Amino acid sequence: MKVIDWEDFTDADFYIKEPSGVTIGTFDGLHKGHIHLLKRLFAPGIEERVVFTFKENPAWFFRKKNFPGDIYTLSQKIDVLKRIGITTTVLIDFSDDFSKLKGNYFISCITDHLNLVKMVIGEDFKCGKDNDTTANKFFDLLEPNQVFTEIVKRQPLNGVPISSSLIREFINEGQIDQAEQMLEFGYAVDLKNIDVQQENNCYYIYKNQTRQVLPDNGRYNLNILKDNITFEKEVVIDNIFLKWFKKYNS
């Protein structure tokens, strides 16, 4: 999978000539609803499956002090997109300038640099300054270019619509099993680029070293992703630390 920045994608000389299917979203956690949407890119005639997503969750940009946390790190998100067969991921560095772009300008950037034949978006998707471009507006803007636009409904699980917000609530409340029912590839605390401390038989990180959503204070069985290997640990979380012990297979 190719991973490129938005600045490189919008370079005047950049163009993907292969017939391309595109989707756009934050894709935090890559839950089963996301996977259902992404699989709509696997259609006859589509050679490039392109995902536009963000290095940082836009919600964090707007409300840093009370942001509830990412479900997946960027590294985890890229890994899942690669695993399911996405061929190109375009990473947008969300900024004040980017937030001021109109949705129609964003769409024109995509059509200028891709041989776009299909757009797949969720029914509640919005983009552009002041959310000026809805899913239906995408359809109206792309139809004259003979781009097939598929608007995908939210997917339910046991009668409840799957959402990243609900998954965060489950994790925060320590209902990890409930969260993982909605996540296609499970939940794990990603320790990549985090300095893990060791004291005697105890390993720990400071909670403020990660921006992932964590369960409230308590003792939990959690997956820990370290050196590209996932371990199941009994983890203790308090106001400052997340810790686990060597006797639990460290």
Side-chain angles (χ1 to χ4, degrees), residues 58-232:
W60 177 80
F61 177 83
F62 287 112
R63 48 193 181 109
K64 294 181 176 66
K65 290 185 178 180
N66 60 355
F67 178 62
D70 296 314
I71 300 169
Y72 278 6
T73 63
L74 178 61
S75 176
Q76 288 174 302
K77 177 162 65 172
I78 289 173
D79 178 64
V80 171
L81 292 172
K82 181 178 180 179
R83 287 169 67 179
I84 66 174
I86 298 304
T87 55
T88 300
T89 296
V90 180
L91 294 178
I92 299 167
D93 191 0
F94 197 86
S95 64
D96 188 57
D97 287 341
F98 188 87
S99 71
K100 294 174 182 176
L101 295 181
K102 292 287 189 180
N104 58 353
Y105 175 77
F106 180 58
I107 293 171
S108 69
C109 287
I110 294 173
T111 55
D112 286 348
H113 295 277
L114 287 176
N115 178 11
L116 181 63
V117 298
K118 183 177 183 179
M119 175 70 74
V120 180
I121 46 178
E123 63 178 340
D124 53 357
F125 179 81
K126 296 178 182 178
C127 74
K129 184 180 179 182
D130 300 321
N131 290 323
D132 69 338
T133 305
T134 62
N136 288 328
K137 186 74 176 291
F138 263 74
F139 182 89
D140 294 338
L141 290 169
L142 291 171
E143 187 179 33
N145 296 325
Q146 296 183 317
V147 174
F148 174 60
T149 303
E150 182 174 2
I151 300 174
V152 179
K153 293 183 180 296
R154 293 177 67 180
Q155 296 299 297
L157 180 69
N158 300 325
V160 178
I162 300 170
S163 73
S164 296
S165 297
L166 183 55
I167 292 169
R168 283 191 191 89
E169 289 180 22
F170 283 141
I171 293 171
N172 189 246
E173 293 168 2
Q175 300 181 56
I176 308 304
D177 290 345
Q178 295 279 1
E180 293 202 323
Q181 286 182 33
M182 292 188 169
L183 290 165
E184 186 77 6
F185 295 95
Y187 168 76
V189 179
D190 183 7
L191 299 183
K192 186 176 182 180
N193 302 320
I194 292 180
D195 185 20
V196 178
Q197 305 292 320
Q198 181 179 1
E199 186 174 329
N200 297 323
N201 70 332
C202 176
Y203 294 87
Y204 64 91
I205 66 168
Y206 291 90
K207 285 169 64 174
N208 62 10
Q209 289 178 276
T210 180
R211 213 168 63 220
Q212 280 186 270
V213 60
L214 298 172
D216 202 0
N217 294 354
R219 187 182 294 266
Y220 307 92
N221 289 323
L222 291 183
N223 288 323
I224 299 290
L225 181 61
K226 182 181 179 184
D227 301 326
N228 294 320
I229 300 173
T230 301
F231 302 91
E232 185 177 355

Side-chain angles (χ1 to χ4, degrees), residues 35-54:
I35 301 302
H36 172 79
L37 184 149
L38 290 164
K39 285 183 176 178
R40 309 308 298 168
L41 298 177
F42 291 76
I46 292 179
E47 297 178 26
E48 280 283 329
R49 295 173 291 277
V50 185
V51 170
F52 289 81
T53 190
F54 302 96

